[in-house]
């Protein structure tokens, strides 16, 4: 088993550690060897800690097990946290030179919970600057490369996390998601990402705003079971976050019964969204799996003014992503260090009135109510996870899709905004590979607060599709 440690799922690794089939030391050695071998070419993990420190912490975990003590299911797990969240004692750059030499003095809330269940923090995972854009590159650490083709993007903003999983450099990974940041990199790297219901995982700083309702932290894994285990660790009420949901069991009970299940497929939204040729062909393979599972699939064009939804998204997103950086914008010497994406968001945010924000919220509410009516007829809604395959690493972002120009830095990811605006749980699962050898995926969108049921549906799909993750050829 020792030689195959990095091939174990996180669930199987936890069992092996607690049954003393593998030591925490051998686990740490195996993962560090893998990181040292592959990370220089991929650049998924940054701020890696010295091996001597990490190996000694692993030995301490072994001594605790010898004494009959376990901190939790992640006891002795090597873990790297997305570099938008804080880990006490580790640098946090947010991918920006504005935070050069910054070292965190406390854990983010969900990191605090992961530490309590036994993880050993080995470093951070790379992310775009301030998490803006689904392409993991920044002026501090450079780009993260796709493990399936190192000339391509790993997606983002949890691109470092997804690439690390695909390369088996981590057993499980955390991420965050506003505009598909757990879903797009899952598709680009052939792994599982889960965007929880809004409020399921308390805000990363424990001081979230009543109006901060777009981004959420969440899990990524090589398997649905692994993602579910990490979600259960991250989730749960905390009064420091006024919008966090009450505690409830998220332990998956097994694969969902899918015979006779009714699902809606949005596809290209009736031609509204452009797709790179081949993406929907791969998605249709996933639909065929679901049909063989007994699902009744209806292709549905959303009965909603989608341009208005995009306008509302632009306003609400800009309002959300700029509020914490206003002090940098107001000072000329620091404003010059903000990137094009951030300046684009400030351009919108500073031109919007309170009435604009309110009216955008009215559109958002109407969208939520429309989806709730759909869930009276359908058990789940399905959508593509991405509109393009992993693109050229040297592109800032896709400027056109199938001949249609993209008018913003993030328009090429419009397919993910619907579940975010409705605060719905979404499992992003692999769909397969195109003829170009590149992966893509689909979103399994559940009704409000149905996180466990959505994971169980994803588990049924995973077992039927015989998905293989963590097998990137390097």
């Amino acid at each position: 088993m020792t030689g195959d440690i990095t091939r174990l799922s996180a669930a199987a690794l936890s069992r092996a550690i607690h049954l003393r089939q593998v030591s925490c030391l051998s686990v740490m050695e195996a993962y560090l060897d893998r990181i040292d071998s592959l990370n220089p070419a991929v650049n998924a993990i940054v701020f890696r800690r010295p091996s001597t420190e990490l190996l000694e912490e692993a030995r301490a975990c072994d001594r605790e097990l010898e004494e009959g003590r376990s901190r939790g299911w992640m006891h002795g797990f090597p873990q790297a946290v997305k570099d938008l969240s804080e880990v006490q004692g580790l640098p946090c750059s947010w991918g920006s030179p504005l935070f050069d030499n910054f070292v965190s003095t406390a854990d983010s809330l969900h990191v605090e919970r992961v530490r309590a269940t036994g993880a050993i923090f080995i470093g951070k995972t790379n992310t775009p600057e301030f998490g803006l854009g689904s392409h993991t590159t920044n002026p501090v650490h450079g780009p993260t490369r796709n493990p399936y083709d190192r000339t391509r993007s790993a997606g983002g903003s949890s691109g470092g996390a997804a690439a690390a999983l695909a390369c088996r450099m981590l057993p499980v990974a955390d991420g965050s998601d506003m505009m598909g940041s757990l879903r797009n990199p899952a598709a680009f790297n052939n792994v599982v990402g889960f965007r929880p219901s809004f409020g399921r995982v308390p805000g990363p700083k424990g001081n979230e705003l009543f109006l901060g309702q777009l981004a959420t932290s969440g899990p990524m894994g090589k398997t649905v079971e692994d993602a579910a285990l990490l979600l259960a660790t991250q989730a749960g009420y905390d009064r420091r976050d006024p919008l966090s949901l009450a505690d409830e069991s998220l332990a998956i009970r097994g694969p969902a019964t899918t015979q006779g299940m009714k699902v809606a497929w949005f596809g290209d939204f009736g031609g509204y969204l452009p797709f790179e040729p081949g993406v929907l062909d791969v998605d249709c393979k996933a639909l065929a799996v679901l049909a063989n599972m007994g699902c009744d699939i209806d292709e549905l064009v959303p009965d909603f003014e989608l341009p208005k939804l995009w306008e509302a998204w632009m306003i609400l997103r800009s309002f959300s992503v700029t509020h914490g950086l206003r002090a940098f914008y107001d000072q000329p010497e620091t404003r010059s260090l903000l990137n094009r994406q951030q300046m684009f968001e400030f351009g919108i945010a500073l031109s919007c009135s309170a009435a604009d924000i309110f009216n955008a919220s009215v559109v958002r509410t109407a969208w939520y109510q429309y989806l709730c009516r759909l869930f009276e007829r359908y058990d789940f809604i399905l959508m593509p996870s991405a509109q393009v395959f992993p693109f050229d690493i040297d592109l800032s972002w896709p400027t056109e899709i199938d001949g249609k120009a993209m008018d913003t830095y993030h328009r090429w990811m419009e397919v993910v905004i619907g579940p975010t605006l409705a605060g719905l749980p979404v499992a992003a699962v692999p769909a397969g590979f195109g003829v170009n050898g590149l992966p893509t995926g689909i979103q399994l969108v559940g009704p409000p607060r149905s996180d466990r049921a959505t994971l169980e549906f994803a588990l049924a799909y995973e077992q039927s599709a015989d998905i293989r993750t963590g097998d990137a050829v390097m």
Side-chain angles (χ1 to χ4, degrees), residues 285-290 292-293 429-432 442 457-468:
K285 296 177 184 177
L287 296 182
V289 172
L290 291 164
N292 288 335
M293 292 163 56
V429 294
I442 61 169
F457 180 40
L459 179 62
Y461 167 80
E462 177 183 67
Q463 292 180 354
S464 297
D466 191 26
I467 292 171
R468 294 177 59 85

Side-chain angles (χ1 to χ4, degrees), residues 123-402:
K124 308 293 282 292
T125 55
N126 202 20
T127 183
E129 190 170 0
F130 299 119
L132 295 181
S134 288
H135 178 29
T136 296
T137 187
N138 62 67
V140 179
H141 304 293
T144 296
R145 296 179 178 273
N146 192 296
Y148 289 92
D149 182 341
R150 280 175 279 167
T151 68
R152 304 280 178 152
S153 170
S157 61
S158 307
L165 282 174
C167 291
R168 306 198 314 276
M169 293 190 287
L170 294 174
V172 72
D174 75 293
S176 56
D177 186 305
M178 178 182 284
M179 195 174 182
S181 291
L182 284 161
R183 292 167 280 165
N184 163 257
F188 275 22
N189 292 275
N190 192 45
V191 296
V192 176
F194 188 77
R195 180 189 163 94
S197 296
F198 185 79
R200 182 69 66 200
V201 177
K205 297 179 182 177
N207 60 352
E208 292 305 285
L209 304 172
F210 278 104
L211 289 177
Q213 299 174 9
L214 295 178
T216 177
S217 297
M220 304 189 85
K222 290 178 285 188
T223 69
V224 172
E225 182 185 21
D226 290 353
L229 284 169
L230 183 55
L231 176 65
T233 298
Q234 298 171 321
Y237 173 75
D238 190 290
R239 68 178 183 177
R240 289 172 287 179
D241 183 343
L243 298 176
S244 59
L245 299 180
D247 295 341
E248 63 179 80
S249 175
L250 297 170
I252 51 178
R253 298 155 294 190
T257 300
T258 55
Q259 189 67 42
M261 185 179 283
K262 290 188 65 65
V263 298
W265 167 243
F266 280 1
D268 64 2
F269 289 61
Y272 172 74
L273 294 177
F275 282 80
E276 181 178 347
V279 170
L280 292 177
D281 294 335
V282 179
D283 290 344
C284 285
K285 296 177 184 177
L287 296 182
V289 172
L290 291 164
N292 288 335
M293 292 163 56
C295 293
D296 184 4
I297 304 170
D298 288 344
E299 185 162 1
L300 194 69
V301 178
D303 184 16
F304 200 87
E305 293 185 70
L306 296 173
K308 283 190 174 182
L309 193 67
W310 175 253
E311 292 170 8
W313 168 259
M314 293 268 282
I315 291 170
L316 294 172
R317 173 182 166 88
S318 67
F319 175 71
S320 178
V321 302
T322 58
H323 77 270
L325 295 172
R326 182 61 187 268
F328 296 118
Y329 180 87
D330 288 342
Q331 299 297 322
E333 62 272 21
T334 51
R335 183 189 298 184
S336 65
L337 295 176
L338 297 175
N339 65 16
R340 286 185 291 169
Q341 296 94 310
Q342 196 68 49
M343 294 300 292
F344 173 86
E345 299 293 352
F346 269 110
I348 297 174
L350 296 179
S351 67
C352 290
S353 66
D356 292 328
I357 295 169
F358 179 83
N359 290 334
S361 295
V362 170
V363 173
R364 179 185 186 183
T365 301
W367 170 249
Y368 172 80
Q369 292 170 341
Y370 166 70
L371 292 181
C372 284
R373 291 193 297 272
L374 278 187
F375 282 121
E376 293 174 3
R377 297 160 47 199
Y378 296 100
D379 297 293
F380 292 93
I381 297 171
L382 312 181
M383 307 176 193
S385 290
Q387 292 168 239
V388 297
F389 287 110
F391 54 87
D392 190 320
I393 191 79
D394 294 324
L395 284 180
S396 296
W397 54 78
T399 57
E400 63 87 22
I401 300 177
D402 198 25

Side-chain angles (χ1 to χ4, degrees), residues 5 16-17 20-29 62:
I5 284 175
I17 287 172
R20 313 301 304 280
Q21 294 172 333
V22 296
S23 67
C24 297
L25 179 61
S26 63
V27 169
M28 183 62 70
E29 289 173 334
D62 281 327

